Amino acid sequence: MHRLRELADRTPASRERYVDLLRALAITAVVLGHWLLSVVTYDTHGRLTGHSALESLSWAYPITWVAQVMPIFFVVGGYANAASLQAHRRQGENATDWLLGRTGRLVGPTTALLVTLAGVGLVANLAGVRWLGLSPGLVRFGVWVASIPLWFLTAYLLVVLLAPMMYRLHRRFGVRVVVVLVVLVALGDVARLLGSESMAAGNFVFGWLVIHQVGFFWRDGQLPDTPRVWIPLLVGGFGALALLTLVGPYPVSMIDVTGQYPHNASPPTLALLAAATMQLGLVLMLRRPAERWLHRPNPWLAVVAVNSVVLTIFLWHMSAVVFLVGVLDAAHVLPTPAVATASWWLWRLPWLVMLSASLALLVAIFGRLETRPRPRPTERPRGLPDGVARAVSRPAPRLVLAGSGYLAVMLGLLANNLAPNTDPYLFGMPAGGLLCYLLGAGTLRLLRSIPNRTTTGVRENADPGQA
């Protein structure tokens, strides 16, 4: 607590505290949404299974216009990445080192999650199948549920990879970049509606890039919180969303629901972009009162506390579900009331309380990986030959290795995301994908431990007033 209060007290006056609040609120909303909508039951063979309660709550679909907060997360990501890119360029660092620095906080906690899930999956398959009556398919399903957050993390990692290039395009072409991306999303939507799902795969990139690009405008001061800006965004976004869903071909729900087509979030559609526009108007409308509130000590301390472990909260919140369900099922006290019944609504309160306690335990264990200081680069890490260290410190090999490592990380995550959720795997996930991820994460970790010889010299001779 003392460290958090010290961090809160050291906050520069120029910091946009509202961005930190939005990040914390977005992740909290994702966690609560997943928990509230999680339905765990038994199939006709007595095996555990699950689905989303949203399938039975059609009246709640319009609520998702605000409750689907991943657009806010990507807008905040665009703001933060633009700010970070500006700071690194003032220090003379290149895009490769910026990317390595950005992965430092993202990849470490993610590696802990994957390794833990793989270890649990291995033990469950070797011992649980024999002694506890588990099936390999159930083990895979549990690992898949726990790794659901990796879907959005994979999309965000791709956006981060493209951020230096997209920011340069933003500085040169401005809003024209957004227009081009929106047109590409529209073309992908048309392809999907005509039955060509594969032709719309690019929307997984273009859709989130549109929203991320908006954060650049906010960072550059081109989105002031004045009524002449937020009213058109709020009203226009709402009107477009209503037309696209109530009149047009898109589902009302901004959260994917089984049986509805096309899904609005995977990949993003024009309807989701309209929802993002509406949400942006709402965010700008509330900015000034929120900033005043955040300059009070206690609210800002709470925001700092959440953000210090926000990635850990996001990564492990579905593991908390798997852990709690496993405990209650083993004790034969797992309630399975029908969705939307009075007993189901009453069960939501103790369900959320117990999940919060489970997540708090996981954050206490793994949160230190996010909060610990990052090690400073050294000229030659222990055990690494001098020749290798010198070669890796040069720009060209560094760029190739960083790109290869980053690509391996993303391919490893995709291998788990796209694999069938009930197929048996020894580790509860594809072993090839896990190995690919670990090789990529190890490469990135090695590169972060060795300074770039070019930018080190630049930083040492930079103007102290600009460093």
Side-chain angles (χ1 to χ4, degrees):
M1 179 60 72
H2 174 74
R3 179 178 175 274
L4 291 175
R5 192 170 295 279
E6 184 178 330
L7 286 173
D9 292 340
R10 293 206 317 261
T11 304
S14 59
R15 187 176 184 87
E16 181 83 23
R17 301 186 180 201
Y18 191 36
V19 170
D20 296 284
L21 173 65
L22 291 174
R23 183 190 300 109
L25 289 177
I27 294 302
T28 301
V30 169
V31 171
L32 292 177
H34 280 164
W35 287 356
L36 283 170
L37 295 177
S38 295
V39 178
V40 182
T41 185
Y42 297 96
D43 62 16
T44 55
H45 301 286
R47 296 172 300 199
L48 279 170
T49 186
H51 62 277
S52 170
L54 206 56
E55 299 169 10
S56 305
L57 303 174
S58 57
W59 57 266
Y61 291 172
I63 298 176
T64 66
W65 293 6
V66 177
Q68 171 55 283
V69 292
M70 290 313 295
I72 297 299
F73 178 81
F74 276 85
V75 169
V76 169
Y79 182 102
N81 287 329
S84 179
L85 280 166
Q86 291 168 354
H88 278 254
R89 287 177 179 176
R90 285 196 299 267
Q91 295 172 354
E93 295 188 353
N94 57 30
T96 301
D97 287 309
W98 177 82
L99 185 64
L100 290 171
R102 218 64 179 150
T103 61
R105 185 174 181 183
L106 292 172
V107 175
T110 305
T111 302
L113 174 68
L114 278 177
V115 171
T116 301
L117 292 181
V120 171
L122 178 63
V123 172
N125 276 317
L126 294 180
V129 170
R130 179 177 180 181
W131 301 106
L132 300 178
L134 300 176
S135 68
L138 180 60
V139 173
R140 166 58 183 161
F141 185 69
V143 171
W144 180 84
V145 169
S147 62
I148 283 176
L150 298 180
W151 278 96
F152 281 112
L153 181 65
T154 306
Y156 185 67
L157 284 172
L158 178 58
V159 168
V160 170
L161 175 64
L162 298 174
M165 178 186 70
M166 297 307 299
Y167 189 62
R168 285 196 296 270
L169 291 174
H170 163 75
R171 297 299 296 270
R172 182 172 182 179
F173 299 108
V175 73
R176 284 173 287 182
V177 179
V178 174
V179 172
V180 170
L181 290 171
V182 171
V183 170
L184 290 173
V185 171
L187 292 175
D189 283 1
V190 171
R192 292 173 76 188
L193 293 171
L194 293 177
S196 180
E197 191 73 25
S198 59
M199 294 294 291
N203 280 10
F204 281 106
V205 181
F206 306 138
W208 294 121
L209 279 179
V210 172
I211 302 171
H212 185 263
Q213 206 78 4
V214 172
F216 295 164
F217 287 91
W218 189 357
R219 172 61 187 178
D220 290 352
Q222 300 177 55
L223 282 176
D225 53 4
T226 57
R228 65 180 178 83
V229 174
W230 64 257
I231 288 179
L233 291 172
L234 181 60
V235 176
F238 177 81
L241 183 55
L243 286 174
L244 290 169
T245 56
L246 301 179
V247 179
Y250 298 93
V252 173
S253 176
M254 293 300 108
I255 297 175
D256 297 345
V257 178
T258 301
Q260 294 193 357
Y261 187 83
H263 288 164
N264 281 314
S266 56
T269 62
L270 287 178
L272 186 66
L273 298 187
T277 303
M278 181 190 72
Q279 292 177 5
L280 180 62
L282 183 63
V283 162
L284 293 176
M285 180 184 74
L286 299 174
R287 179 183 173 274
R288 292 190 185 183
E291 276 288 340
R292 289 194 295 269
W293 180 69
L294 288 171
H295 276 79
R296 298 179 181 179
N298 289 336
W300 178 236
L301 179 62
V303 171
V304 171
V306 173
N307 274 285
S308 67
V309 289
V310 70
L311 181 60
T312 305
I313 292 172
F314 176 71
L315 288 174
W316 289 91
H317 76 276
M318 291 306 293
S319 298
V321 174
V322 175
F323 172 74
L324 179 60
V325 168
V327 170
L328 295 179
D329 176 64
H332 305 289
V333 293
L334 176 65
T336 57
V339 177
T341 60
S343 56
W344 185 81
W345 285 111
L346 289 173
W347 168 232
R348 293 300 91 183
L349 181 58
W351 172 248
L352 291 179
V353 170
M354 288 188 286
L355 283 175
S356 298
S358 301
L359 181 58
L361 175 63
L362 292 171
V363 171
I365 296 171
F366 296 100
R368 65 192 67 186
L369 296 175
E370 190 174 0
T371 58
R372 68 184 180 185
R374 300 178 195 172
R376 297 179 64 86
T378 60
E379 291 298 332
R380 185 173 67 85
R382 184 180 304 174
L384 190 70
D386 287 337
V388 175
R390 285 196 299 270
V392 172
S393 68
R394 298 182 183 280
R398 197 174 181 84
L399 173 62
V400 172
L401 287 172
S404 301
Y406 205 93
L407 181 62
V409 163
M410 293 185 59
L411 290 177
L413 293 178
L414 283 173
N416 176 69
N417 295 345
L418 298 176
N421 61 17
T422 56
D423 280 9
Y425 296 100
L426 180 60
F427 294 95
M429 63 181 71
L434 177 63
L435 178 61
C436 183
Y437 174 90
L438 293 176
L439 288 174
T443 300
L444 296 175
R445 182 183 178 90
L446 172 65
L447 292 174
R448 285 195 301 272
S449 68
I450 302 173
N452 185 324
R453 296 176 64 183
T454 303
T455 57
T456 299
V458 172
R459 277 200 304 273
E460 290 173 350
N461 295 289
D463 181 356
Q466 298 177 350

